[in-house]
Amino acid sequence: MAKTIFRSLLLLLVIILTLFFVHLRKQMTTHRSSVRTIARLDISTLESALEQYKNIGGQYPSQEQGLQALLQRPVSQPLPRDWVQAVDDADAFLDPWGTLYHYQYSGTGIFEKPKLISAGPYKKFGTKDDLSNQHEVR
């Protein structure tokens, strides 16, 4: 009788732990997906701020000026014809994993747009988990 009760309790414990780990895995997958969504929204917000900068200033910030031009008026060439602070805080330049977004812009093409890249959860640029506002990251 005691063995039967012990086996039943052990089976119940195994079932409960299995359900717990299935739920935990689902929550972790949802969390990872949510964080990636936040990064995509951040990139979209920075894209909008860059468009505002271009519409007011006449061009995108240079590669050297970078995203900082959205927070502080550039003092190096090319200077914007007019300027409005498009970002309130430098934290806007950090992805959800705490890495600065990478800004790439050569300014050579008339239809070229700046490329914004998140290093992703691996926190290393050039890996498969990178996120970008353009399809090809590398």
Side-chain angles (χ1 to χ4, degrees), residues 14-29:
V14 168
I15 291 170
I16 289 172
L17 286 174
T18 301
L19 291 172
F20 171 76
F21 285 115
V22 166
H23 175 73
L24 182 63
R25 181 180 170 138
K26 184 177 179 183
Q27 290 298 324
M28 289 174 60
T29 301

Side-chain angles (χ1 to χ4, degrees), residues 27 54 64 82 85 98 131 136:
Q27 290 298 324
K54 180 185 176 204
E64 293 74 29
D82 200 1
Q85 184 177 355
L131 297 168
E136 186 179 320

Side-chain angles (χ1 to χ4, degrees), residues 19-87:
L19 291 172
F20 171 76
F21 285 115
V22 166
H23 175 73
L24 182 63
R25 181 180 170 138
K26 184 177 179 183
Q27 290 298 324
M28 289 174 60
T29 301
T30 302
H31 174 71
R32 275 187 239 126
S33 176
S34 297
V35 174
R36 290 180 73 81
T37 300
I38 290 169
R40 285 187 189 100
L41 290 171
D42 284 351
I43 288 171
S44 179
T45 300
L46 288 171
E47 273 185 303
S48 295
L50 286 164
E51 288 301 318
Q52 177 185 2
Y53 181 97
K54 180 185 176 204
N55 290 337
I56 293 170
Q59 60 207 356
Y60 293 114
S62 69
Q63 177 90 24
E64 293 74 29
Q65 292 167 332
L67 294 174
Q68 193 65 28
L70 302 174
L71 183 63
Q72 296 175 337
R73 186 182 190 111
V75 293
S76 63
Q77 295 293 332
L79 296 174
R81 67 174 174 239
D82 200 1
W83 183 85
V84 174
Q85 184 177 355
V87 174

Side-chain angles (χ1 to χ4, degrees), residues 50 61-63 66-67 101-107 112-117 125 132-134 136-138:
L50 286 164
S62 69
Q63 177 90 24
L67 294 174
Y101 286 104
H102 186 74
Y103 176 80
Q104 292 179 345
Y105 182 66
S106 68
E112 180 190 10
K113 291 191 177 257
K115 187 175 192 178
L116 298 167
I117 305 169
F125 290 100
S132 172
N133 60 327
Q134 298 177 10
E136 186 179 320
V137 176
R138 292 182 193 129

